[in-house]
Amino acid sequence: MNRTVFILNGPNLNLLGRREPHIYGHTTLEQIRQRSERLAGELDLVCDFRQTNHEGVMVDWIQEAFEQGAAVIINPAGFSFHSIPVLDALKMLDTPLIELHLSNIHARDELHRHSIMSGVVNAVICGMGADGYPLAIRAIDDLLRRQVVNN
């Protein structure tokens, strides 16, 4: 069984810790990466952690995950609300897929409230800040273990 998980982060997340800390907190993406890789290692998962500000790059990475049969945790950030190419790429995946948001998008303004990605994922984690990443990693681990039992 493939125990690789791609953790894909969308636009502006490279500025975490400095960008709107009242919404997204003070934890940097590098701190989240380190914590994610450490937990993934403890769970015997291979973690491929990435961030891009470019829609086409995100699509390429999702296709790469598809080709490798990797699970995906995606924080689509601004792509959440309008990116049909990212949505279409996510639809290809038949591996565990979790959507993650640092803020509770359901409590935000109308523009940031409705993610078009949510309908194609196994689960959505939002509003937990940086703590959402370890929750998502543990959920991916659980989903992968269930696949082994069911196969």
Side-chain angles (χ1 to χ4, degrees), residues 23-93:
I23 296 174
Y24 303 110
H26 294 280
T27 306
T28 67
L29 192 62
E30 177 59 21
Q31 290 168 322
I32 292 170
R33 182 192 64 76
Q34 290 173 6
R35 186 177 176 193
S36 296
E37 289 175 349
R38 187 170 39 254
L39 176 59
E42 291 170 12
L43 296 173
D44 198 30
L45 293 167
V46 176
C47 179
D48 193 335
F49 192 99
R50 305 175 185 189
Q51 185 278 329
T52 185
N53 293 321
H54 305 282
E55 184 179 49
V57 172
M58 182 65 78
V59 170
D60 289 343
W61 289 347
I62 295 166
Q63 290 178 2
E64 184 181 341
F66 170 74
E67 293 293 340
Q68 290 186 26
V72 173
I73 296 167
I74 185 168
N75 183 340
F79 298 143
S80 304
F81 314 106
H82 70 275
S83 179
I84 299 301
V86 170
L87 174 64
D88 286 346
L90 291 174
K91 287 178 180 179
M92 289 186 295
L93 298 172

